[in-house]
Amino acid sequence: AQSVTQLGSHVSVSEGALVLLRCNYSSSVPPYLFWYVQYPNQGLQLLLKYTTGATLVKGINGFEAEFKKSETSFHLTKPSAHMSDAAEYFCAVSDMDSNYQLIWGAGTKLIIKP
Amino acid sequence: DGGITQSPKYLFRKEGQNVTLSCEQNLNHDAMYWYRQDPGQGLRLIYYSQIVNDFQKGDIAEGYSVSREKKESFPLTVTSAQKNPTAFYLCATGRWGFGYTFGSGTRLTVV
């Protein structure tokens, strides 16, 4: 069965520093991978996704993620954190076995220190 | 402009009362989902529907009911059997392999 692990329920970085949010997944078939962002009292917004092709995926707001099959990882990065990046981030996986239904990680709350 | 609309944004329920949360989409997506979100607990699936007139229980369906009479609409009823309904409820639509599109959510509070 598929599963998603996000390391760290809270991650704190200084403004201007590198953002790294970790996501590891399990899937027995080629996965589709997603990162979503949620601001307080709002729905989730798609940041980026990997389906096929290039393993480095660029998303909105300067975020990117790299699919590493050998490590079963899809970590989210941003070179320089901004105060507006403070939000909760969710990683998700889907594949043929789940009928393309998304399996979610528990979420990581990103805190930006001034 | 295509999208997904949840209403109301805030809802208050008295003890023993049933309430219905609305979810409407004009994205022409087949699949629709209801999630519950509590602080620190991520997303928990309540019900989902992949086609009109068919729906499946998710992980926490007890105390909830849904209907899918038309493609555009997937209302969620929180019944009096749900003993702890205070939460943030999210509706989403999905296309195979393309991820989900979310509504802006309904915050339900028991008074």
Side-chain angles (χ1 to χ4, degrees):
Chain A
Q2 303 92 337
S3 66
V4 178
T5 302
Q6 291 184 239
L7 189 63
S9 59
H10 293 77
V11 169
S12 181
V13 303
S14 297
E15 191 174 17
L18 171 72
V19 175
L20 171 60
L21 304 183
R22 299 178 188 275
C23 174
N24 288 89
Y25 68 91
S26 69
S27 175
S28 59
V29 295
Y32 289 3
L33 296 158
F34 305 84
W35 275 101
Y36 284 81
V37 61
Q38 185 182 30
Y39 298 100
N41 295 311
Q42 294 185 27
L44 279 69
Q45 180 184 4
L46 181 66
L47 264 180
L48 50 79
K49 64 183 178 187
Y50 168 80
T51 54
T52 58
T55 56
L56 181 63
V57 181
K58 294 187 186 300
I60 62 172
N61 302 339
F63 284 93
E64 62 182 36
E66 186 171 11
F67 168 54
K68 292 188 176 180
K69 184 179 177 180
S70 61
E71 298 177 8
T72 61
S73 69
F74 192 56
H75 302 330
L76 183 71
T77 60
K78 182 174 180 178
S80 177
H82 192 271
M83 295 300 291
S84 60
D85 295 326
E88 189 152 22
Y89 292 80
F90 292 91
C91 181
V93 64
S94 74
D95 59 32
M96 279 175 47
D97 287 352
S98 69
N99 203 18
Y100 294 106
Q101 196 174 125
L102 264 61
I103 308 302
W104 296 91
T108 297
K109 186 162 286 188
L110 178 62
I111 300 160
I112 311 295
K113 297 179 292 186
Chain B
D1 198 17
I4 178 169
T5 302
Q6 287 188 244
S7 62
K9 191 170 178 65
Y10 298 96
L11 186 57
F12 298 90
R13 192 194 96 166
K14 295 180 181 179
E15 295 283 349
Q17 190 180 44
N18 291 359
V19 291
T20 297
L21 284 59
S22 171
C23 179
E24 302 280 332
Q25 58 117 344
N26 60 5
L27 298 168
N28 200 33
H29 289 173
D30 288 312
M32 297 188 75
Y33 306 85
W34 274 107
Y35 287 92
R36 171 177 171 145
Q37 205 174 21
D38 296 279
Q41 293 203 37
L43 297 166
R44 293 190 289 169
L45 183 63
I46 305 172
Y47 269 98
Y48 65 99
S49 168
Q50 295 175 331
I51 196 168
V52 174
N53 291 322
D54 187 55
F55 48 82
Q56 308 296 327
K57 292 182 179 180
D59 302 317
I60 56 164
E62 186 174 349
Y64 300 97
S65 66
V66 293
S67 63
R68 187 87 187 274
E69 296 177 359
K70 51 182 183 174
K71 192 174 185 178
E72 298 79 16
S73 179
F74 190 42
L76 174 74
T77 297
V78 184
T79 75
S80 56
Q82 172 51 243
K83 297 307 178 189
N84 184 23
T86 294
F88 190 53
Y89 291 86
L90 286 164
C91 180
T93 67
R95 282 177 62 199
W96 311 129
F98 287 88
Y100 296 173
T101 301
F102 283 83
S104 56
T106 293
R107 185 163 297 281
L108 174 62
T109 304
V110 174
V111 296

